[in-house]
Structure formats: C-alpha cells, structure tokens
Amino acid sequence: MFRSCGLAAFAFLIGTLPARAADPQQTGWAAWFNNWKFNEQIGLVSDLQLRSQDEWAGPRNLLVRPGVSWYVAPGHTLSAGYAYIGTFNRDARDAVEHRGWQQYLASYRLGALNVSQRLRLEQRFIDRPGAPDVYADRFRWFTRMQLPLSAAAPFVNGAFLALQNEAMVNLSHRDDLNGKVFDQNRAYVALGWRLNPTTDVEIGYLNQWLNGRDRDTVNHVVQVAVYTFFRH
C-alpha cells in the first residue's frame, strides 16, 4: 500500500504546475549526500549543500545537515538530527535558520527501479532580517526512483537515470510565513554514474516551485550531486 501510494503521489506531484503568475529564477546547487553505516543498527547520515543567488550571482545558501540513523529493519531507517542553513543576502544582513529534524526512510526495489520514500518532520527556528524571528513546523514527503541503464546485476557501476519529487507542507505558524498550507515542491530529473559500490555522481535539472503569499517563484536549478555510502 505504501509503495503504491508513493508512486501515485510522485506521478501527481511531479506534474504540478503553478496556478498563477510566477517569478522565474536560475540558480546552481552543489550537494554531497553521505551515509556511513557503523553496524547493523547504527549509522550517520549527512548532507552538505551550497546554493547560488539568482543568475548565479554568488553564493546564496549554505546547508549543513548531520544526523544519526537507526536501521530498524532491512529497507527501513529512522534518523534524527540538526540542520544549519545560512543565507547570504545582497541587500540585507545575512540570516541563519536552525532546524531539528526526524525522518523515516523506506527503500525497496520495484522491478528494475530502486525506490526510496522519505517522510520528514522539521522544527524551524528562522531568523528574518527586518522582521521578527519565526518558529514553524514543516512536513516533507520525498520520493526518488533510480533506474540503472545497465542490465548487469548487481548494479555496481555504470550509468543511471534518477527521478525524484519532494512536497513540503507548513504545519504551524503559516501566517508568519507564506500564509499557505502548501509551502513548496521540488521536481528533479538527473543523469548519473555509479563509479563504484560506494560513490554515485549525477547532474540534473530541479524545478523548485515556491508558493508565495502573493506571488509564486519558480526556480530553475542545475544541480550537481555526489552520493557516498560507507560501511565500517
């Protein structure tokens, strides 16, 4: 049931388009996603991201998100951690957001597809230049499908296609943010290469739709990402 609902949600959300006028942006994101499994129960998870300003005009965001993982069963992982998001503003002082987060990740195969679904809760402490600071809770539903472009099994190296979508919903203090339940959606397609069993690299296009209070923003993102997987 969870698998079927996840794929249905993915098909619906990846085709979601803004229903009103939107301001376009063009940015670049660089990301490193890492998983380090110490044993059959415990591991570390982290990601490090650097995002540019509109029109690639210098850095905009630095995101550092470490966490601890608990492997409760094959294909099922619980994690929790902290995230630091620094924002470098050109026309105002810089700002920082601190987050606590908890997530559940399910990974499985569906034919030739490697599928991951992630449910994440966030507690956001948002610093806003020129306005009062805000606390808000947010829920995120992420689905990713990876299709190896090689018939060899197991898939230890070679090219792959990646498709993913993530929808975000404001759970509290919406009026202090965009005044909406639905916060944003990120749809992504990428071509990647598995260098070896521990390292994937990919480059792709990410469409970030930000649901604004009065006007939406559509961010066209070129993303370069590295995924590493280590086992002690």
PDB file of all heavy atoms in Angstrom, residues 108-116 144-148 155 194:
ATOM      1  N   TYR A 108      13.337   0.204  -1.377  1.00  0.00           N
ATOM      2  CA  TYR A 108      12.931  -1.090  -1.907  1.00  0.00           C
ATOM      3  C   TYR A 108      13.115  -1.092  -3.416  1.00  0.00           C
ATOM      4  O   TYR A 108      13.360  -0.061  -4.046  1.00  0.00           O
ATOM      5  CB  TYR A 108      11.471  -1.392  -1.547  1.00  0.00           C
ATOM      6  CG  TYR A 108      10.494  -0.291  -1.891  1.00  0.00           C
ATOM      7  CD1 TYR A 108       9.865  -0.247  -3.135  1.00  0.00           C
ATOM      8  CD2 TYR A 108      10.205   0.717  -0.978  1.00  0.00           C
ATOM      9  CE1 TYR A 108       8.971   0.762  -3.456  1.00  0.00           C
ATOM     10  CE2 TYR A 108       9.320   1.731  -1.287  1.00  0.00           C
ATOM     11  CZ  TYR A 108       8.709   1.746  -2.528  1.00  0.00           C
ATOM     12  OH  TYR A 108       7.832   2.757  -2.844  1.00  0.00           O
ATOM     13  N   ARG A 109      12.986  -2.277  -3.999  1.00  0.00           N
ATOM     14  CA  ARG A 109      13.071  -2.426  -5.453  1.00  0.00           C
ATOM     15  C   ARG A 109      11.673  -2.639  -6.018  1.00  0.00           C
ATOM     16  O   ARG A 109      10.838  -3.311  -5.415  1.00  0.00           O
ATOM     17  CB  ARG A 109      13.972  -3.603  -5.829  1.00  0.00           C
ATOM     18  CG  ARG A 109      15.444  -3.370  -5.515  1.00  0.00           C
ATOM     19  CD  ARG A 109      16.282  -4.545  -5.992  1.00  0.00           C
ATOM     20  NE  ARG A 109      16.152  -4.756  -7.435  1.00  0.00           N
ATOM     21  CZ  ARG A 109      16.856  -4.104  -8.364  1.00  0.00           C
ATOM     22  NH1 ARG A 109      17.731  -3.177  -7.987  1.00  0.00           N
ATOM     23  NH2 ARG A 109      16.693  -4.367  -9.641  1.00  0.00           N
ATOM     24  N   LEU A 110      11.450  -2.071  -7.178  1.00  0.00           N
ATOM     25  CA  LEU A 110      10.193  -2.246  -7.894  1.00  0.00           C
ATOM     26  C   LEU A 110      10.564  -2.564  -9.336  1.00  0.00           C
ATOM     27  O   LEU A 110      10.760  -1.679 -10.154  1.00  0.00           O
ATOM     28  CB  LEU A 110       9.342  -0.977  -7.803  1.00  0.00           C
ATOM     29  CG  LEU A 110       7.868  -1.097  -8.188  1.00  0.00           C
ATOM     30  CD1 LEU A 110       7.155  -2.062  -7.244  1.00  0.00           C
ATOM     31  CD2 LEU A 110       7.194   0.260  -8.159  1.00  0.00           C
ATOM     32  N   GLY A 111      10.707  -3.851  -9.625  1.00  0.00           N
ATOM     33  CA  GLY A 111      11.234  -4.251 -10.919  1.00  0.00           C
ATOM     34  C   GLY A 111      12.694  -3.826 -11.020  1.00  0.00           C
ATOM     35  O   GLY A 111      13.514  -4.120 -10.153  1.00  0.00           O
ATOM     36  N   ALA A 112      13.034  -3.086 -12.079  1.00  0.00           N
ATOM     37  CA  ALA A 112      14.401  -2.592 -12.252  1.00  0.00           C
ATOM     38  C   ALA A 112      14.668  -1.320 -11.464  1.00  0.00           C
ATOM     39  O   ALA A 112      15.810  -0.868 -11.393  1.00  0.00           O
ATOM     40  CB  ALA A 112      14.674  -2.346 -13.740  1.00  0.00           C
ATOM     41  N   LEU A 113      13.619  -0.721 -10.878  1.00  0.00           N
ATOM     42  CA  LEU A 113      13.763   0.553 -10.177  1.00  0.00           C
ATOM     43  C   LEU A 113      14.212   0.359  -8.731  1.00  0.00           C
ATOM     44  O   LEU A 113      13.717  -0.533  -8.031  1.00  0.00           O
ATOM     45  CB  LEU A 113      12.435   1.315 -10.165  1.00  0.00           C
ATOM     46  CG  LEU A 113      11.911   1.863 -11.482  1.00  0.00           C
ATOM     47  CD1 LEU A 113      10.496   2.407 -11.288  1.00  0.00           C
ATOM     48  CD2 LEU A 113      12.825   2.969 -12.009  1.00  0.00           C
ATOM     49  N   ASN A 114      15.135   1.213  -8.299  1.00  0.00           N
ATOM     50  CA  ASN A 114      15.444   1.352  -6.884  1.00  0.00           C
ATOM     51  C   ASN A 114      14.657   2.552  -6.370  1.00  0.00           C
ATOM     52  O   ASN A 114      14.833   3.673  -6.851  1.00  0.00           O
ATOM     53  CB  ASN A 114      16.944   1.583  -6.681  1.00  0.00           C
ATOM     54  CG  ASN A 114      17.773   0.405  -7.139  1.00  0.00           C
ATOM     55  OD1 ASN A 114      17.521  -0.731  -6.744  1.00  0.00           O
ATOM     56  ND2 ASN A 114      18.761   0.653  -7.989  1.00  0.00           N
ATOM     57  N   VAL A 115      13.784   2.337  -5.407  1.00  0.00           N
ATOM     58  CA  VAL A 115      12.858   3.370  -4.950  1.00  0.00           C
ATOM     59  C   VAL A 115      13.143   3.714  -3.489  1.00  0.00           C
ATOM     60  O   VAL A 115      13.403   2.830  -2.670  1.00  0.00           O
ATOM     61  CB  VAL A 115      11.392   2.915  -5.095  1.00  0.00           C
ATOM     62  CG1 VAL A 115      10.423   4.019  -4.685  1.00  0.00           C
ATOM     63  CG2 VAL A 115      11.113   2.473  -6.538  1.00  0.00           C
ATOM     64  N   SER A 116      13.104   5.014  -3.178  1.00  0.00           N
ATOM     65  CA  SER A 116      13.219   5.485  -1.800  1.00  0.00           C
ATOM     66  C   SER A 116      12.076   6.447  -1.523  1.00  0.00           C
ATOM     67  O   SER A 116      11.770   7.307  -2.352  1.00  0.00           O
ATOM     68  CB  SER A 116      14.555   6.208  -1.563  1.00  0.00           C
ATOM     69  OG  SER A 116      15.646   5.345  -1.775  1.00  0.00           O
ATOM     70  N   ARG A 144      12.081   9.117  -4.536  1.00  0.00           N
ATOM     71  CA  ARG A 144      13.159   9.065  -5.526  1.00  0.00           C
ATOM     72  C   ARG A 144      13.167   7.692  -6.182  1.00  0.00           C
ATOM     73  O   ARG A 144      13.013   6.665  -5.498  1.00  0.00           O
ATOM     74  CB  ARG A 144      14.510   9.335  -4.871  1.00  0.00           C
ATOM     75  CG  ARG A 144      15.719   9.210  -5.821  1.00  0.00           C
ATOM     76  CD  ARG A 144      17.007   9.514  -5.081  1.00  0.00           C
ATOM     77  NE  ARG A 144      18.199   9.161  -5.860  1.00  0.00           N
ATOM     78  CZ  ARG A 144      18.851   9.999  -6.645  1.00  0.00           C
ATOM     79  NH1 ARG A 144      18.436  11.259  -6.773  1.00  0.00           N
ATOM     80  NH2 ARG A 144      19.931   9.609  -7.310  1.00  0.00           N
ATOM     81  N   MET A 145      13.329   7.685  -7.516  1.00  0.00           N
ATOM     82  CA  MET A 145      13.437   6.444  -8.271  1.00  0.00           C
ATOM     83  C   MET A 145      14.712   6.485  -9.097  1.00  0.00           C
ATOM     84  O   MET A 145      14.978   7.464  -9.790  1.00  0.00           O
ATOM     85  CB  MET A 145      12.216   6.257  -9.169  1.00  0.00           C
ATOM     86  CG  MET A 145      10.914   6.116  -8.397  1.00  0.00           C
ATOM     87  SD  MET A 145       9.486   5.762  -9.458  1.00  0.00           S
ATOM     88  CE  MET A 145       9.305   7.341 -10.290  1.00  0.00           C
ATOM     89  N   GLN A 146      15.492   5.417  -9.007  1.00  0.00           N
ATOM     90  CA  GLN A 146      16.747   5.314  -9.736  1.00  0.00           C
ATOM     91  C   GLN A 146      16.672   4.099 -10.659  1.00  0.00           C
ATOM     92  O   GLN A 146      16.409   2.987 -10.207  1.00  0.00           O
ATOM     93  CB  GLN A 146      17.924   5.184  -8.764  1.00  0.00           C
ATOM     94  CG  GLN A 146      19.295   5.215  -9.430  1.00  0.00           C
ATOM     95  CD  GLN A 146      20.407   4.920  -8.443  1.00  0.00           C
ATOM     96  OE1 GLN A 146      20.557   3.793  -7.977  1.00  0.00           O
ATOM     97  NE2 GLN A 146      21.186   5.937  -8.102  1.00  0.00           N
ATOM     98  N   LEU A 147      16.914   4.341 -11.952  1.00  0.00           N
ATOM     99  CA  LEU A 147      16.842   3.277 -12.954  1.00  0.00           C
ATOM    100  C   LEU A 147      18.225   3.040 -13.535  1.00  0.00           C
ATOM    101  O   LEU A 147      18.743   3.886 -14.288  1.00  0.00           O
ATOM    102  CB  LEU A 147      15.869   3.658 -14.070  1.00  0.00           C
ATOM    103  CG  LEU A 147      15.783   2.679 -15.242  1.00  0.00           C
ATOM    104  CD1 LEU A 147      15.231   1.327 -14.775  1.00  0.00           C
ATOM    105  CD2 LEU A 147      14.925   3.254 -16.369  1.00  0.00           C
ATOM    106  N   PRO A 148      18.879   1.912 -13.239  1.00  0.00           N
ATOM    107  CA  PRO A 148      20.167   1.603 -13.865  1.00  0.00           C
ATOM    108  C   PRO A 148      19.990   1.440 -15.370  1.00  0.00           C
ATOM    109  O   PRO A 148      19.018   0.836 -15.841  1.00  0.00           O
ATOM    110  CB  PRO A 148      20.578   0.284 -13.203  1.00  0.00           C
ATOM    111  CG  PRO A 148      19.802   0.233 -11.925  1.00  0.00           C
ATOM    112  CD  PRO A 148      18.500   0.918 -12.218  1.00  0.00           C
ATOM    113  N   PHE A 155      24.001  -3.962  -9.511  1.00  0.00           N
ATOM    114  CA  PHE A 155      24.419  -2.708 -10.146  1.00  0.00           C
ATOM    115  C   PHE A 155      25.560  -2.105  -9.331  1.00  0.00           C
ATOM    116  O   PHE A 155      25.326  -1.453  -8.316  1.00  0.00           O
ATOM    117  CB  PHE A 155      23.221  -1.755 -10.227  1.00  0.00           C
ATOM    118  CG  PHE A 155      23.545  -0.420 -10.850  1.00  0.00           C
ATOM    119  CD1 PHE A 155      24.190  -0.333 -12.060  1.00  0.00           C
ATOM    120  CD2 PHE A 155      23.192   0.755 -10.198  1.00  0.00           C
ATOM    121  CE1 PHE A 155      24.489   0.889 -12.642  1.00  0.00           C
ATOM    122  CE2 PHE A 155      23.477   1.993 -10.759  1.00  0.00           C
ATOM    123  CZ  PHE A 155      24.135   2.054 -11.986  1.00  0.00           C
ATOM    124  N   ARG A 194      27.380   5.545 -11.487  1.00  0.00           N
ATOM    125  CA  ARG A 194      27.890   4.852 -10.304  1.00  0.00           C
ATOM    126  C   ARG A 194      29.352   4.508 -10.565  1.00  0.00           C
ATOM    127  O   ARG A 194      29.673   3.657 -11.396  1.00  0.00           O
ATOM    128  CB  ARG A 194      27.069   3.611 -10.011  1.00  0.00           C
ATOM    129  CG  ARG A 194      27.582   2.774  -8.837  1.00  0.00           C
ATOM    130  CD  ARG A 194      26.492   1.958  -8.194  1.00  0.00           C
ATOM    131  NE  ARG A 194      25.508   2.826  -7.536  1.00  0.00           N
ATOM    132  CZ  ARG A 194      24.388   2.376  -6.986  1.00  0.00           C
ATOM    133  NH1 ARG A 194      24.109   1.075  -6.988  1.00  0.00           N
ATOM    134  NH2 ARG A 194      23.554   3.217  -6.417  1.00  0.00           N
TER     135      ARG A 194
END
